[in-house]
Each structure stands twice: as C-alpha cells, then as structure tokens.
Amino acid sequence: QVQLEESGGGLVQAGGSLRLACTNSERTSSRYVMGWFRQAPGKERDFVAGVSWSGNNKEYADSVKGRFTISREIGKNTVYLQMNTLKLEDTAVYYCAAGPTYLSGSVYYSEPEYEYWGQGTQVTVSS
C-alpha cells in the first residue's frame, strides 16, 4: 500500500528557501515516478517537478526552473523538493504524487498519470 506523507512546508519570506520531503511507506517505492504539484487558492493544481524511478531524469515547470530542485533518496523512500529564491506566487499547497513506471526513464507531467497522492503541505511566501 502506497502512502505518501509530505513535510517541510511553512511560512518563509520572499527570497528564502524551503525543502519539502515526501516519504513513501511502501518498500518498493523506487518503482514509481514521483512528482510534486501545487495548488494556489482559487486555481487548479499544477505540475511543479517530476523525477524518474532511477532519479536520473527530472523535469520542471517553467515557472520554477533554476529555482527548484527535485531529488530522491531511494534507500529512504523519500523524494525532496528544494525550493530556493521563493516568490509570492509560489504560495500554494504542495502535493507529492507517485505513479507506476511503465517505461524506464519516464517522468510524468499530468495528474492522471499519478495514482497516489499525499495530503499536501502548505507553503506560504510573505513579502
């Protein structure tokens, strides 16, 4: 049973940094593509970053390229999202997601490709 739990959210000033973590309770979590999405108030949930099961392939939304870094620590069944140079528009609830790997090296961008979701963690960037 895949259970995802996010941590690391909070309140930070613009220009600051946060690191989110997502831990998967299932032992074989390395088979999954992992992703981060976010949902700002009144907006749809959007893709932020994704990483392949091997950790070698990573993709980012244009809005976070150069500022956010996704990584995974397979031995700890954990995926991270390092967020630097945070902006007011980064304020959102951030969700971790896992999707089965059908093709080696795949990274998914869309919600339907992810089967499992965490409950989300709030990130608030203040001026």
Side-chain angles (χ1 to χ4, degrees), residues 60-71:
Y60 299 92
D62 288 342
S63 59
V64 306
K65 280 182 181 177
R67 300 188 298 121
F68 290 11
T69 302
I70 189 171
S71 61

Side-chain angles (χ1 to χ4, degrees), residues 2-121:
V2 176
Q3 291 185 333
L4 304 177
E5 183 173 359
E6 303 98 337
S7 62
L11 175 65
V12 63
Q13 285 190 326
S17 299
L18 279 176
R19 188 176 80 157
L20 305 183
C22 172
T23 301
N24 183 350
S25 60
E26 190 184 76
R27 293 180 183 178
T28 56
S29 64
S30 60
R31 298 179 300 176
Y32 293 98
V33 175
M34 300 298 295
W36 286 97
F37 287 74
R38 67 185 181 185
Q39 187 169 23
K43 296 187 177 181
E44 295 183 350
R45 188 157 59 183
D46 293 326
F47 172 79
V48 175
V51 60
S52 62
W53 69 268
S54 67
N56 290 334
N57 294 335
K58 303 173 184 180
E59 298 290 342
Y60 299 92
D62 288 342
S63 59
V64 306
K65 280 182 181 177
R67 300 188 298 121
F68 290 11
T69 302
I70 189 171
S71 61
R72 66 188 304 166
E73 194 168 359
I74 295 176
K76 292 186 177 181
N77 297 338
T78 302
V79 62
Y80 302 97
L81 185 68
Q82 177 67 43
M83 305 185 295
N84 298 328
T85 318
L86 282 161
K87 303 177 181 180
L88 296 179
E89 52 264 41
D90 295 320
T91 295
V93 177
Y94 283 71
Y95 297 90
C96 174
T101 296
Y102 297 110
L103 183 65
S104 178
S106 296
V107 179
Y108 306 144
Y109 296 87
S110 61
E111 289 190 40
E113 294 175 299
Y114 291 90
E115 291 188 6
Y116 305 99
W117 294 82
Q119 293 299 308
T121 185

